[in-house]
Amino acid sequence: MLSKLWRLGHKPALPLAVWLLPHAGVAVALALSLLLAGPVRVNTNLFDILPASHALSSAPGLAEAEKILSDKSGRQVNIFTSSTDFEEAKQGAVRLYETCSTNSAVFESLSLYVDETVMDQFSTYMHEYRYALLNGADQHLLENGGAGEIAADALASIFGAFSLVPLDNLETDPFFLSGRGMNRFLGSSLLSGGDLSLREDVLAAQYEGRWYVMLRGSLTPSGVSITNGDSAVKKIYAACAAIKSDNPDLGFVYSGVPFHSYESSSNAQREISLISTITLIIILILFLAVFRSLLPALSSVLAVGASLLLAAGTTLLVFREIHVLSFVFGTTLIGTCVDYSIHYFIHWKENPALKSGAEVRSHILRGIAMSFVSTEICFAALFLAPFGILKQFAVFSFAGMLSSFLTAVCMYPYLKVNRNRKGASNHQTLGLRFAGEKGKKKRTYLTSISPYSPLRLIFLKRLGLAGILTVSLVLLFVNRDKVRVENNISGLYTMSGTLLESEKIAAKVLDHGSSGWYFIVSGSTAEETLEKEEALRLRLDTEVSREKLGSYLATSLFVPSIQTQQQSYGAAKLLLPLADTQFSYLGFPPETAAAFGADFAAAQGHYVLPGEGLPPYLGELISGLWIGNPAAESAYYSCVLPLHAQDEGVFRAIADEMEGVFFMNKVKDIGAELDGLTRIMLFLFLAAYMVIAIVIRFFYSWRQTFRICSVPFLLVLVTITVLACCNIPLGFFSVTGLALVFGLSLDYMFYITESDNAGEAPGSGGRSLTVSAIGISFATTALSFGALALSGFVPVHVFGLTVFTGLTTAFIAAMLLNGSGSENQRNSGGGQ
């Protein structure tokens, strides 16, 4: 059977080794890298497709610090159990906590209770560092003669009806400094979470007649991923569904980046499966209908499979990971990779002048080679863009197209040419007609099938091109205000209705008022970083008094700098003269005051440091703010988070005035970064255009070069017009699509021009085969990108719409230019 399909012993010019070298080489290299460098991964994080802000390059280590901060925040989740009855809401939260807290593989931490154990931890902490943790107001009070006021407050708390701090340590804390610190901490936004308050050992709030009880957690890196069985979000959803089945009145509210990553990535993976499956099925049906043979269809499917494997393997080898969005874009290879197969098998089956696979390859080689080179130049240009996801897509597509090209020129020639063709009857399957004798094609002119003369048909085609150009210019002028370079990342992802409603409720319950703005503070040491953070807090306090800011969260609120702790010790020392009186009121013997003085002297120099000696609950909360030393020999970093902020300009001005303080508005900064990348892509697009034009001129005449290079100009005009009519700005993904379609669109003109150079007159069998191949090639490619245009994920939708519009324009232009540049056509027309 194999001998019937393959020419055993036949040796085309390019050996199989040329095909095996990249495919086997990448497979072996990837296997070795897995052994030596560890596993690779599929990245499903939605926000990893975004570039880093340019501001992060202003200081060494700042980008790494921001990455660590984003990673921490990107793994944090808040889950609210809600019910009209508080006890039901709490019991639902308890069940969810008990279900999830035991799974350490996906949950790095999960907190529900602020119970006696947690309170004891805080109490011990506050007592141990009671002299070091006086806040600024207490220090100011003591330094201005207010020691008696603090002593009186202590007696009122001690003899009051209720105290959150045990009274077991009055011999060493007669002024109840630990109690003052405890009350201050419990009232902070860091613990209570906005409108949440402590109720029966849990954090809860009432909103619109329902109680909401909060679980706060952090996922492990493996728990964030959706590509394995340890997806934390999947487990959370399953646990909540089981709890809700027992109590339908319970509701669950989800907030956090992992939920959005899970939703977007799940949708992307579903789209990959759906688009890939449907596209392959339709292409398979199309091949069977056109070729009436299983061999071309199966060979093309295998070629697509080899292309996708080489593309994925090369990407993993180069980057050690591949983003799920690269797979989404990569599904377009299904349509583009079969182009070479189509052109090969059209002539393999229908061209009687070609007697062997080597002759088929020789007949199409120059056309597909020019197509391959122009497309790869565009992918190479994409690789130069300073954007990780685009580099992945460029490598993925570059390797995939290489595989497809090598399959067509190295593997297909070994397929035995069909010897059982029945002349014209077979050609009817493509709507073609041949007249041949001894391998020579007899020209069939357009006058035999058209009432128009060739010259008149050329005129009509040019009129059609002029019409497309005119309509595009008019529509572009009408919609000129909508033509703009703009990247709004908030519009890249649309939440589902359920998740959007969850985030709205969570925002109301938490009431943090976080706008996504934050400061990153850096210093050469941890102490310097904390001192700069405290200086920043003084400026922010001014904005709070001016009502430009509600409040803020900062590490130094709970772990001050050593300088501030020393000042705190100095202020606390002013209480010593009142010790005798205070102990007398408390009923202690006189000698207790002397012991207290000795205890104070021994405590001096005992400082709290970030990450050291903190209660677990506090350490967990502060971990989202204190970044620390992200890499050896780099600075220390922390985050200060403004809440209920109103004027971005105020905070940018503060950051500009203060050394080591950087203000971040990630949405706006990344949008500006994408605007810059869009302009870079436009430059790379122009550069690729010029390089390809030079390459084309080496192989074609000036007239042919002008015809080929005019198509990209037309498709860019039409595509920009369509985007403007749809009110879609020229953003990063649309410009990337333009750069890609530029390379793909030239393919049609290369095939037409090569047909002209081969002496195939319009209407002849050879030209009809070429036109049919272009039509089928366009159908498969447009199918792939058209499917992307239906995606609900905005970047994929914009990319697919851009490429589909450009390819359609290029195909129509190629068909209208078909024959207009043929010397044979002009001669034949003139002779009639």
Side-chain angles (χ1 to χ4, degrees), residues 746-762:
L746 292 175
D747 298 359
Y748 308 139
M749 288 306 301
F750 285 135
Y751 300 139
I752 290 291
T753 305
E754 282 302 309
S755 181
D756 288 338
N757 293 341
E760 297 172 349

Side-chain angles (χ1 to χ4, degrees), residues 590-827:
E591 60 269 17
T592 309
F596 171 70
D599 177 77
F600 177 85
Q604 292 193 71
H606 186 45
Y607 304 119
V608 60
L609 300 174
E612 296 182 19
L614 300 178
Y617 196 94
L618 177 60
E620 178 188 332
L621 297 178
I622 289 181
S623 67
L625 299 172
W626 181 253
I627 303 171
N629 180 221
E633 300 181 4
S634 70
Y636 285 76
Y637 297 90
S638 69
C639 170
V640 176
L641 184 64
L643 306 176
H644 296 284
Q646 298 179 16
D647 191 347
E648 177 184 351
V650 170
F651 302 116
R652 289 196 181 275
I654 290 175
D656 291 340
E657 295 169 7
M658 301 185 68
E659 182 182 356
V661 176
F662 308 89
F663 177 76
M664 309 294 296
N665 178 350
K666 199 162 186 177
V667 172
K668 185 175 181 179
D669 292 345
I670 292 178
E673 193 69 21
L674 284 174
D675 288 345
L677 287 174
T678 300
R679 296 183 179 91
I680 291 175
M681 289 305 305
L682 289 171
F683 172 77
L684 293 176
F685 172 71
L686 179 62
Y689 181 84
M690 295 176 64
V691 170
I692 293 175
I694 294 172
V695 173
I696 292 172
R697 180 60 189 90
F698 272 109
F699 294 94
Y700 299 105
S701 66
W702 279 109
R703 181 184 181 85
Q704 290 174 328
T705 299
F706 176 78
R707 287 174 63 237
I708 295 172
C709 293
S710 65
V711 173
F713 171 78
L714 183 63
L715 74 87
V716 169
L717 175 64
V718 173
T719 303
I720 292 177
T721 301
V722 170
L723 293 176
C725 291
C726 297
N727 199 24
I728 298 176
L730 276 176
F732 181 79
F733 292 99
S734 56
V735 171
T736 300
L738 279 175
L740 175 62
V741 76
F742 167 63
L744 296 175
S745 65
L746 292 175
D747 298 359
Y748 308 139
M749 288 306 301
F750 285 135
Y751 300 139
I752 290 291
T753 305
E754 282 302 309
S755 181
D756 288 338
N757 293 341
E760 297 172 349
S764 67
R767 174 58 69 89
S768 297
L769 284 174
T770 300
V771 172
S772 296
I774 292 174
I776 300 171
S777 173
F778 165 71
T780 57
T781 308
L783 176 65
S784 297
F785 289 103
L788 291 183
L790 300 176
S791 171
F793 190 31
V794 176
V796 178
H797 166 74
V798 172
F799 181 82
L801 177 63
T802 302
V803 178
F804 177 78
T805 303
L807 280 176
T808 303
T809 304
F811 173 73
I812 294 173
M815 293 300 98
L816 293 178
L817 288 170
N818 176 23
S820 63
S822 171
E823 295 295 335
N824 296 326
Q825 170 67 5
R826 289 195 299 275
N827 292 338

Side-chain angles (χ1 to χ4, degrees), residues 48-51 382 385-392 674 677 732-733:
D48 279 356
I49 71 172
L50 301 174
L382 294 181
F387 191 11
I389 187 67
L390 196 58
K391 290 178 181 290
Q392 284 192 21
L674 284 174
L677 287 174
F732 181 79
F733 292 99

Side-chain angles (χ1 to χ4, degrees), residues 136 533-552 557 651 654:
E533 187 179 286
E534 290 168 343
L536 172 61
R537 284 173 46 210
L538 290 176
R539 295 292 305 274
L540 295 181
D541 287 337
T542 301
E543 300 307 321
V544 171
S545 65
R546 295 174 56 200
E547 297 185 351
K548 296 288 187 181
L549 177 67
S551 59
Y552 54 84
L557 283 169
F651 302 116
I654 290 175

